Amino acid sequence: MRMVLMGPPGAGKGTQAAAICRRYGVAHISTGDMFRAAMASGSQVGAKAKAYVDRGELVPDDVTIGIVRERLSQPDATNGFVLDGFPRTVPQALGLDELLAGSGLKLDAVVLIEVPEAELVRRAVGRRVCPRCNRVWHLEFNPPPEPGTCSCGGELTLRPDDTAETVRARLAVYRERTEALKDYYAKAGILRVVDGSGSPQEVEALIAGALERCSE
Ligand code: AP5
């Protein structure tokens, strides 16, 4: 399985990517997670990405395609992968097609998770993450056992780009630059759109059904 999971900020891409990867035994490749890890380690890529991520803007395509190229060359990606949050621009989609074609491969499916805007803001601003084990919680929809504390004991934090203002900026960027990919993948015949407004389990079942139809 080689697939892309698309959707606006807070749509549930990370949550659903983890579930799909468990189901199919493939690698979870999140460009957002890679940028956050690069920023935390103080690497050159992290330094280039920081200003963009903090403002909710897209990191330039050449930097982003570069980290995906390197990640796809790692052994765990040869079995298949879920790309979470990449591509987000048409040049990134073209770059991905080129990377895969270089190894005689192509995407099996692109799943777009759609959620109403008010719900997206609610999901993002209520998200809390554990810097120790990276687990993602939600104050309302998936609360931690103890307020402010992860099940591993780590102190939960708000992602700096999860303030209501930055979430709205990220949503505007999504509408301007990423929505065009819907047409790109619809024309390729591999786009499946799912309603992401139900519970995580309901959305997981819709995605599983969409992926089964792709392989028929
Ligand atoms: P990234 O980390 O990818 O952010 P995003 O796309 O804005 O997506 P999110 O992580 O906010 O949300 P999600 O859809 O994964 O939702 P989640 O499952 O966590 O990117 C961050 C930044 O990095 C970008 O702004 C950009 O600067 C840069 N970047 C990344 N990729 C790039 C690229 N390709 N090109 C250029 N720049 C790039 O769920 C959200 C919350 O809701 C959680 O608390 C969860 O528990 C809860 N939840 C999930 N599903 C449900 C549900 N069904 N019901 C109720 N609650 C739910």
Side-chain angles (χ1 to χ4, degrees):
M1 167 66 61
R2 292 179 192 86
M3 66 167 288
V4 165
L5 209 45
M6 269 183 72
K13 300 182 294 297
T15 304
Q16 295 302 329
I20 300 166
C21 290
R22 277 194 300 274
R23 181 185 286 251
Y24 290 94
V26 295
H28 179 180
I29 301 181
S30 156
T31 41
D33 286 349
M34 287 194 282
F35 284 133
R36 281 184 288 278
M39 291 188 293
S41 74
S43 71
Q44 254 188 358
V45 167
K48 280 185 198 163
K50 190 173 182 339
Y52 298 96
V53 175
D54 285 351
R55 290 195 299 261
E57 292 170 8
L58 295 185
V59 178
D61 288 338
D62 59 332
V63 178
T64 309
I65 294 169
I67 63 162
V68 172
R69 180 187 297 115
E70 197 187 315
R71 182 66 185 84
L72 286 177
S73 70
Q74 289 172 18
D76 66 326
T78 54
N79 256 351
F81 51 77
V82 177
L83 282 165
D84 158 6
F86 177 91
R88 290 192 201 215
T89 63
V90 172
Q92 289 182 14
L94 292 166
L96 175 61
D97 287 348
E98 202 178 307
L99 277 177
L100 295 177
S103 309
L105 301 172
K106 60 185 179 54
L107 287 173
D108 299 309
V110 173
V111 173
L112 167 62
I113 307 177
E114 288 192 330
V115 176
E117 187 150 330
E119 176 70 10
L120 293 170
V121 177
R122 204 166 149 207
R123 286 190 191 175
V125 300
R127 170 172 39 200
R128 294 294 181 273
V129 291
C130 176
R132 196 196 277 180
C133 72
N134 291 325
R135 186 156 177 179
V136 176
W137 300 90
H138 192 281
L139 293 179
E140 205 180 329
F141 305 127
N142 180 24
E146 293 286 325
T149 308
C150 183
S151 49
C152 77
E155 196 179 324
L156 297 179
T157 58
L158 176 72
R159 252 171 60 176
D161 61 346
D162 273 347
T163 60
E165 190 190 352
T166 310
V167 171
R168 289 211 169 81
R170 285 159 57 202
L171 279 167
V173 169
Y174 177 82
R175 307 277 179 237
E176 275 166 34
R177 307 211 33 211
T178 307
E179 260 184 355
L181 285 180
K182 201 171 161 178
D183 274 356
Y184 181 88
Y185 286 123
K187 279 184 191 140
I190 54 172
L191 181 74
R192 301 291 180 271
V193 182
V194 301
D195 175 3
S197 55
S199 70
Q201 295 71 21
E202 286 165 342
V203 180
E204 190 181 333
L206 290 176
I207 294 176
L211 292 177
E212 269 166 33
R213 286 193 294 281
C214 281
S215 59
E216 277 165 7

